[in-house]
Amino acid sequence: MTVHNLYLFDRNGVCLHYSEWHRKKQAGIPKEEEYKLMYGMLFSIRSFVSKMSPLDMKDGFLAFQTSRYKLHYYETPTGIKVVMNTDSGVGPIRDVLHHIYSALYVELVVKNPLCPLGQTVQSELFRSRLDSYVRSLPFFSARAG
Amino acid sequence: MSRPAHRKPGYHKTNKDLFVLTYGALVAQLCKDYEKDEDVNKYLDEMGYGVGTRLVEDFLARSCVRRCHSYSEIVNIIAQVAFKMYLGITPNVTCNNSSRNEFSLILDKNPLVEFVEELPTGRSSLCYCNLLCGIIRGALEMVHLAADVTFLQDRLKGDSVTEIGIKFLKKLDKKNIGRKNEK
């Protein structure tokens, strides 16, 4: 079980942060294109899911799964989106994504008046704390499973 | 000195007086910088807007409120959760019109004006707490709601209560036409 990578987007589609831990295959397109593709796909899936839902929506789109990986999604009312790709065996991790939002992004970036919003996060503290946090997760193993 | 067991690590209480006096110093400096009350009010509102756009993230991170489905739910959350969390007070909420998009927050106590008895002469139009209006406006905008937020009444100006008016304008996010209210 492992974590492959993580994206953080803001409400305008700007990719605030990207981290990679175990990614054996790249997308084959430049990183900027990849972020746009990811954001566009998420936007469409969210709207599709809410439109086609046979019941009243509660939390909306949560995750999708393939035979090799699972993409987990968390969005705040302010449009901040946390996307994490993990192994297929990993269960719901909404609380993990919420922690990344509240204890890392909000505490280290939003509350720092010297960190400009709406662009890639430059804070080294954020990057390293996020890295330590992900490595400490119970479903993260140093060797890709 | 032992810490009470229920305190969350990292959220130690700061002396409230320091905060209130700092706010007062901010307003006093703006009064020195700008002659006209309208300008001071405008800059307080702008500064508040900048605070609000960030504060809303902290609020959402700490309070885990569920989605709201009406303006009155949102205003109730602002009064009962947000004001309580940041200022320790719970204003009363009233709805001012039948189309239910204009509301008021009636502030019984206001910690920001604890040391202010009345406005100085020559500053009769000063909205001392205008930062709060900007904060609310900025926070609402980040959840795709446009609103006009102003002081309708102010005890410092001689009115009987302090009243903040929130008037919701049309929704901001054009991409989400047809979606229900989100917060």
Side-chain angles (χ1 to χ4, degrees):
Chain A
M1 290 232 282
T2 190
V3 175
H4 299 296
N5 55 6
L6 177 102
Y7 302 76
L8 192 68
F9 291 101
D10 77 354
R11 61 205 293 239
N12 297 317
V14 175
C15 183
L16 302 172
H17 183 80
Y18 172 74
S19 276
E20 212 170 83
W21 290 272
H22 294 119
R23 185 177 184 171
K24 293 216 179 112
K25 179 189 156 300
Q26 296 294 327
I29 48 177
K31 271 287 179 274
E32 286 305 317
E33 299 279 328
E34 182 181 313
Y35 302 149
K36 277 197 218 157
L37 181 66
M38 172 64 81
Y39 186 82
M41 182 278 295
L42 291 172
F43 190 84
S44 306
I45 281 197
R46 250 181 49 219
S47 122
F48 170 82
V49 157
S50 95
K51 214 173 255 178
M52 302 302 270
S53 170
L55 306 166
D56 271 333
M57 285 270 283
K58 217 176 135 217
D59 289 323
F61 172 60
L62 297 175
F64 76 62
Q65 184 157 355
T66 76
S67 51
R68 298 307 305 274
Y69 72 95
K70 190 169 178 181
L71 181 145
H72 304 261
Y73 178 76
Y74 175 81
E75 185 184 357
T76 71
T78 45
I80 303 293
K81 302 164 178 61
V82 187
V83 184
M84 185 185 267
N85 284 320
T86 68
D87 228 45
S88 312
V90 175
I93 50 165
R94 213 163 155 73
D95 51 333
V96 168
L97 302 182
H98 177 76
H99 184 270
I100 291 176
Y101 168 69
S102 64
L104 295 172
Y105 177 67
V106 169
E107 288 296 312
L108 302 176
V109 179
V110 176
K111 283 186 173 174
N112 181 350
L114 300 175
C115 268
L117 300 181
Q119 45 175 270
T120 318
V121 174
Q122 304 290 349
S123 162
E124 178 56 33
L125 180 64
F126 172 77
R127 199 207 56 77
S128 69
R129 287 258 179 101
L130 175 63
D131 186 68
S132 317
Y133 175 69
V134 170
R135 285 180 191 278
S136 74
L137 291 171
F139 48 86
F140 182 92
S141 81
R143 275 182 311 189
Chain B
M1 189 165 77
S2 64
R3 253 187 169 188
H6 64 267
R7 272 228 189 117
K8 269 198 207 156
Y11 284 116
H12 51 268
K13 273 190 173 164
T14 315
N15 188 317
K16 189 191 78 171
D17 284 355
L18 176 60
F19 169 63
V20 173
L21 290 171
T22 306
Y23 183 75
L26 171 76
V27 179
Q29 186 60 46
L30 282 175
C31 286
K32 281 201 194 114
D33 292 341
Y34 301 104
E35 261 186 48
K36 291 204 220 153
D37 292 346
E38 294 77 40
D39 288 338
V40 178
N41 293 340
K42 183 180 92 165
Y43 286 114
L44 279 173
D45 185 81
E46 274 178 28
M47 287 167 72
Y49 178 83
V51 172
T53 54
R54 292 188 183 236
L55 198 69
V56 68
E57 306 275 11
D58 178 65
F59 174 69
L60 290 172
R62 282 161 62 189
S63 67
C64 304
V65 285
R66 306 252 57 170
R67 298 220 144 177
C68 291
H69 296 107
S70 68
Y71 290 138
S72 68
E73 257 185 80
I74 291 170
V75 181
N76 278 319
I77 287 193
I78 292 177
Q80 287 157 19
V81 188
F83 264 84
K84 181 97 180 99
M85 195 187 272
Y86 294 110
L87 287 177
I89 55 173
T90 326
N92 289 320
V93 176
T94 62
C95 179
N96 296 345
N97 69 346
S98 53
S99 44
R100 305 201 62 80
N101 70 325
E102 287 181 34
F103 297 84
S104 285
L105 300 171
I106 314 284
L107 275 72
D108 215 10
K109 288 188 304 173
N110 185 353
L112 289 178
V113 302
E114 198 174 307
F115 303 125
V116 183
E117 286 297 327
E118 54 184 11
L119 294 174
T121 45
R123 286 283 178 198
S124 52
S125 316
L126 177 69
C127 292
Y128 186 83
C129 295
N130 222 29
L131 199 87
L132 292 180
C133 293
I135 292 179
I136 297 173
R137 185 172 65 89
L140 286 174
E141 193 170 299
M142 293 303 279
V143 290
H144 314 299
L145 291 166
D148 270 338
V149 188
T150 50
F151 272 93
L152 298 177
Q153 293 190 78
D154 196 343
R155 273 218 184 101
L156 288 181
K157 292 181 181 157
D159 297 318
S160 51
V161 289
T162 301
E163 182 182 347
I164 298 179
I166 303 178
K167 178 175 168 182
F168 290 96
L169 311 170
K170 66 169 176 57
K171 272 173 71 73
L172 279 178
D173 195 352
K174 293 194 177 58
K175 283 191 219 162
N176 289 332
I177 296 172
R179 242 177 152 192
K180 277 196 185 164
N181 271 344
E182 278 179 40
K183 189 175 198 307

